[in-house]
């Protein structure tokens, strides 16, 4: 059994700080060789994860959940009532996204998600978090001044809109259900999904604005 | 632990720099991609947990925590955890050459199982041992606690009054799990008025919702 002692880990970090090369590329290269030699790591497995994260994982699953909820009222109801089961129906649960909560934007309520303590984020529906989500500025500021931060993303909210900030402190993972954009009444699921940006599902913009994604890219 | 990681509400940070969504790469450099893949694949110390791993990152020297790259923190999590468990030495981490081969460890993860691993459901649910103490809508007060180890009660939310918004069932308590004791507690979503948390800054119409275990709370 190894210890789980805070002070001991702090001392190990101090030693690592003074003994390791500062260049992270050198650190990671040495770690990989060491773990392979010790029989604790397979380099082809590392390649496979990189390929999956780069080519396959992304916000398209979340966009499909949102587009379906816009066109299927019974699904929307299930999604808001029990997001874990509704998202499971679509096969999109997994690592860091097994216990889900969906919060709905309306003309009166705007939701935005953060993890002030680390970088919790629902990988299976949104992919890996973008740099800004993990930044100190976002983590520090969005709980205190959400309207100011949203303005930096180009989203200005009227004073009477209620802002709800969700701080992901547990293993529940939050997904924002953005409002369906106007003028999309005749659209099919895949067209609608292309209007759902990643940022609109974190809550830093509205759907159908700015970062809309081309389905061809995915 | 009142650490540098507990950033909610800290002041002095500037604009949130962000690139257009379709221009942002998944990884900026090759080493970041390697580190992300290594973290997902490695055989760790047998008694490590998600919560302990987070705590190891929280213990990174504060100046480094603020200045190093995100995946460099993941590197330090792995490195410090290996040294702590005796599976590696600092000298081995510097040279990249093994001085000893650990015995009795699991086989490394194989490439074929990557997608199944990513799709595996991780649950923190635990059996209920007694009825939960707070009902939805109840006013609660957060304890002014300052534990020396891991906690998920942010500093900015301590000593404040909020309302129970939702009950999520019983879940593993990170404060105990990080330090080797797995037990459950009722978990709630608690809503706080922004003006309660930030009297000078909080909008009158705004709320912050925070997930909180029962031992973080007392009746208001």
């Amino acid at each position: 059994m190894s210890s789980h002692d805070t002070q001991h880990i702090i001392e190990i970090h101090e030693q690592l700080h003074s003994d390791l090369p500062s260049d992270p590329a050198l650190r990671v290269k040495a770690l990989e060789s060491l773990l392979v030699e010790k029989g604790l790591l397979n380099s082809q497995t590392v390649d496979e994860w990189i390929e999956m994260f780069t080519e396959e994982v992304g916000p398209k699953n979340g966009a499909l959940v949102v587009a379906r909820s816009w066109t299927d009222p019974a699904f929307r109801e299930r999604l808001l009532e029990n997001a874990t089961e509704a998202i499971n129906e679509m096969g999109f649960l997994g690592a860091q996204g097994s216990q889900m909560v969906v919060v709905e934007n309306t003309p009166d309520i705007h939701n935005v998600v953060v993890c002030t303590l680390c970088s919790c984020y629902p990988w299976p529906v949104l992919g890996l978090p973008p740099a800004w989500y993990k930044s100190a500025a976002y983590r520090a500021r969005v709980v205190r001044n959400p309207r100011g931060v949203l303005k930096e993303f180009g989203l200005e909210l009227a004073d009477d809109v209620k802002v709800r900030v969700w701080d992901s402190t547990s293993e529940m993972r939050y997904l924002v259900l953005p409002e369906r954009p106007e003028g999309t009444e005749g659209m099919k699921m895949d067209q609608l999904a292309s209007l759902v940006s990643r940022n609109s599902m974190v809550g830093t913009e509205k759907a159908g604005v700015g970062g809309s994604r081309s389905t061809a890219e995915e | 632990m009142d650490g540098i990681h507990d950033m909610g509400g800290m002041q002095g940070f500037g604009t949130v720099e962000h690139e257009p969504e379709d221009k942002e790469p998944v990884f900026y450099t090759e080493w970041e991609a390697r580190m992300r893949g290594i973290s997902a694949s490695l055989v760790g110390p047998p008694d490590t947990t998600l919560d302990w791993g987070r705590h190891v990152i929280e213990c990174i020297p504060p100046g480094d925590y603020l200045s190093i790259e995100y995946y460099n923190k993941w590197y330090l999590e792995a490195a410090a955890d290996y040294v702590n468990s005796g599976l590696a030495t600092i000298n081995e981490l510097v040279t990249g050459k093994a001085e000893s081969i650990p015995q009795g460890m699991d086989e490394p993860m194989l490439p074929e199982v990557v997608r199944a691993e990513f799709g595996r459901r991780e649950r923190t649910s635990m059996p209920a041992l007694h009825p939960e103490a707070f009902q939805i809508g109840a006013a609660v007060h957060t304890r002014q606690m300052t534990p020396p180890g891991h906690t998920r009660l942010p500093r900015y939310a301590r000593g404040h009054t909020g309302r129970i918004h939702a009950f999520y069932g019983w879940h593993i308590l990170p404060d105990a799990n990080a330090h080797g004791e797995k037990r459950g507690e009722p978990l709630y979503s608690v809503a706080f008025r922004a003006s309660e948390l930030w009297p000078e800054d909080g909008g009158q119409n705004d709320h912050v919702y925070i997930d909180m275990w029962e031992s973080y709370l007392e009746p208001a």
Side-chain angles (χ1 to χ4, degrees), chain B residues 18-93:
Chain B
H18 58 100
E19 294 182 71
E21 195 168 317
D22 54 355
K23 301 276 188 297
E24 182 173 296
V26 177
F27 301 110
Y28 286 86
T29 61
E30 174 64 17
W31 72 263
E32 290 178 306
R34 294 310 294 170
M35 190 60 230
R36 185 64 186 77
I38 292 168
S39 284
S41 323
L42 53 77
V43 178
D47 51 358
T48 202
T49 58
L50 175 70
D51 296 306
W52 170 246
R54 285 200 183 117
H55 190 53
V56 171
I57 290 184
E58 293 166 4
C59 293
I60 292 171
D64 291 352
Y65 185 96
L66 287 174
S67 57
I68 65 176
E69 304 83 352
Y70 178 75
Y71 286 112
N72 204 347
K73 295 179 199 170
W74 285 45
Y75 166 83
L76 287 172
E77 176 189 356
D81 202 16
Y82 274 117
V83 172
N84 182 55
S85 65
L87 288 173
T89 65
I90 290 181
N91 193 50
E92 286 178 320
L93 291 165

Side-chain angles (χ1 to χ4, degrees), chain A residues 81-150:
Chain A
E81 181 64 32
N82 185 339
T84 305
E85 287 315 310
I87 292 172
N88 190 35
E89 280 176 40
M90 298 184 72
F92 299 154
L93 296 179
Q96 285 295 306
S98 299
Q99 301 164 146
M100 296 291 303
V101 177
V102 169
V103 289
E104 186 183 32
N105 284 350
T106 69
D108 304 319
I109 296 172
H110 185 85
N111 295 281
V112 59
V113 181
V114 65
C115 173
T116 63
L117 295 172
C118 50
S119 53
C120 296
Y121 191 80
W123 301 339
V125 280
L126 294 186
L128 299 182
W132 61 260
Y133 183 86
K134 304 176 287 193
S135 71
Y138 184 73
R139 289 166 53 193
R141 291 180 56 222
V142 79
V143 280
R144 187 171 189 133
N145 180 16
R147 289 165 189 272
V149 170
L150 294 178

Side-chain angles (χ1 to χ4, degrees), chain A residues 63 67 187 189-197 208 211-215:
Chain A
M187 286 189 184
M189 274 272 288
D190 56 340
Q191 280 177 293
L192 286 170
S194 73
L195 299 175
V196 184
S197 65
S212 73
R213 295 165 311 108
S214 144
T215 41

Side-chain angles (χ1 to χ4, degrees), chain B residues 3-14:
Chain B
I4 187 68
H5 68 283
D6 187 356
M7 308 197 98
M10 278 174 67
Q11 292 174 296
F13 293 102

Side-chain angles (χ1 to χ4, degrees), chain B residues 55-217:
Chain B
H55 190 53
V56 171
I57 290 184
E58 293 166 4
C59 293
I60 292 171
D64 291 352
Y65 185 96
L66 287 174
S67 57
I68 65 176
E69 304 83 352
Y70 178 75
Y71 286 112
N72 204 347
K73 295 179 199 170
W74 285 45
Y75 166 83
L76 287 172
E77 176 189 356
D81 202 16
Y82 274 117
V83 172
N84 182 55
S85 65
L87 288 173
T89 65
I90 290 181
N91 193 50
E92 286 178 320
L93 291 165
V94 171
T95 63
K97 302 255 183 287
E99 291 157 9
S100 67
I101 307 294
Q103 302 301 313
M105 299 293 290
D106 291 342
E107 291 293 310
M109 186 187 295
L110 295 172
E112 303 84 88
V113 305
V114 160
R115 282 160 190 79
E117 275 295 313
F118 189 65
R120 195 159 54 87
R121 289 178 72 170
E122 303 165 330
R123 296 173 200 240
T124 51
S125 304
M126 294 288 278
L129 302 180
H130 53 73
E132 65 274 19
F134 304 108
Q135 302 306 308
I136 290 170
V140 288
H141 193 253
T142 51
R143 290 180 197 276
Q144 185 55 56
M145 50 189 249
T146 57
H150 183 62
T151 185
R152 297 293 284 181
L153 177 58
R155 250 178 300 200
Y156 76 85
R158 296 177 193 165
H160 284 292
T161 302
R163 214 164 267 286
I164 301 287
H165 168 72
F167 172 54
Y168 291 143
W170 284 60
H171 290 269
I172 295 171
L173 176 68
D175 308 44
N177 195 45
H179 299 283
E181 184 197 353
K182 184 177 174 182
R183 63 184 159 91
E185 266 191 20
L187 176 68
Y188 305 90
S189 165
V190 186
F192 297 86
R193 286 184 172 280
S195 54
E196 158 79 13
L197 300 174
W198 330 105
E200 294 87 359
D201 299 335
Q204 288 305 311
N205 283 325
D206 302 343
H207 285 79
V208 180
Y209 290 72
I210 309 171
D211 297 345
M212 293 188 172
W213 281 263
E214 196 162 277
S215 57
Y216 299 175
L217 301 170

